[in-house]
């Protein structure tokens, strides 16, 4: 019985280690979105950091958000990508607009328009790329 518990424990721990390693692997290693970006509006900075492992952190005023993101190609030759973002944690503190809403669990899809010289991107809410927020400038 003692050996059965030991074997079950070993299997459980090794499966946990596999899960952990799965999320540590770079999946967006050479994607242009990876890095830190800043957007300033009304004297308030929003800083977005996209990791190559598919996670995003945001610091905006007092708000801190952690999310998991996925990117799909829409028109990469034009710098347009679909971003699906799932908020994991939101501290509910005021963001740059003063909002204190907690977005934990929210899933949002927006278009990313990435431009170069200088490197910047905007979040766009329509296919015509007219209703956008940004630009966020690469740091």
């Amino acid at each position: 019985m003692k050996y059965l518990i030991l074997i079950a424990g070993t299997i459980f721990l090794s499966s946990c280690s596999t899960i952990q390693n799965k999320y540590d692997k770079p999946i967006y290693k050479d994607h242009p979105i990876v890095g830190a970006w800043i957007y300033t509006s009304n004297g308030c900075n929003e800083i977005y950091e996209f990791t190559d492992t598919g996670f995003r952190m945001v610091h905006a005023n007092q708000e801190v958000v952690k999310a998991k993101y996925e990117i799909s190609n829409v028109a990469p030759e034009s710098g347009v990508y679909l971003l699906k973002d799932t908020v994991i944690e939101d501290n509910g503190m005021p963001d740059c607009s003063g909002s204190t809403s907690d977005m934990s669990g929210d899933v949002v899809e927006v278009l990313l328009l990435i431009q170069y010289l200088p490197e910047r991107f905007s979040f766009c809410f329509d296919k015509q790329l007219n209703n956008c927020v940004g630009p966020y400038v690469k740091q």
Side-chain angles (χ1 to χ4, degrees):
M1 182 67 174
K2 184 169 43 172
Y3 293 110
L4 184 58
I5 292 171
L6 181 62
I7 291 170
T10 303
I11 292 170
F12 173 76
L13 289 175
S14 67
S15 70
C16 288
S17 130
T18 302
I19 291 169
Q20 181 64 36
N21 289 337
K22 179 175 124 180
Y23 293 113
D24 288 342
K25 291 183 181 175
I27 50 179
Y28 297 111
K29 183 178 178 196
D30 296 320
H31 198 280
I33 197 62
V34 172
W37 305 80
I38 189 167
Y39 172 67
T40 302
S41 176
N42 299 323
C44 185
N45 294 329
E46 290 185 20
I47 301 169
Y48 278 62
E49 183 175 355
F50 290 87
T51 69
D52 62 1
T53 56
F55 288 94
R56 171 184 68 85
M57 290 291 295
V58 175
H59 292 86
N61 193 8
Q62 297 172 36
E63 180 183 47
V64 179
V65 176
K66 181 178 181 182
K68 183 173 180 359
Y69 73 91
E70 298 172 35
I71 291 186
S72 305
N73 290 337
V74 173
E77 67 283 352
S78 301
V80 180
Y81 301 87
L82 178 66
L83 173 74
K84 180 180 177 183
D85 193 78
T86 304
V87 177
I88 299 168
E89 295 175 30
D90 182 332
N91 69 355
M93 298 298 287
D95 63 13
C96 286
S97 70
S99 173
T100 56
S101 63
D102 181 346
M103 300 182 311
S104 297
D106 287 2
V107 178
V108 176
E109 288 188 358
V110 295
L111 291 173
L112 283 178
L113 174 59
I114 299 176
Q115 300 168 309
Y116 302 93
L117 302 173
E119 289 183 277
R120 61 189 186 269
F121 81 86
S122 296
F123 291 115
C124 299
F125 305 98
D126 64 336
K127 291 180 182 179
Q128 294 76 29
L129 307 175
N130 292 324
N131 183 14
C132 301
V133 174
Y136 290 78
V137 179
K138 194 156 197 176
Q139 298 299 290

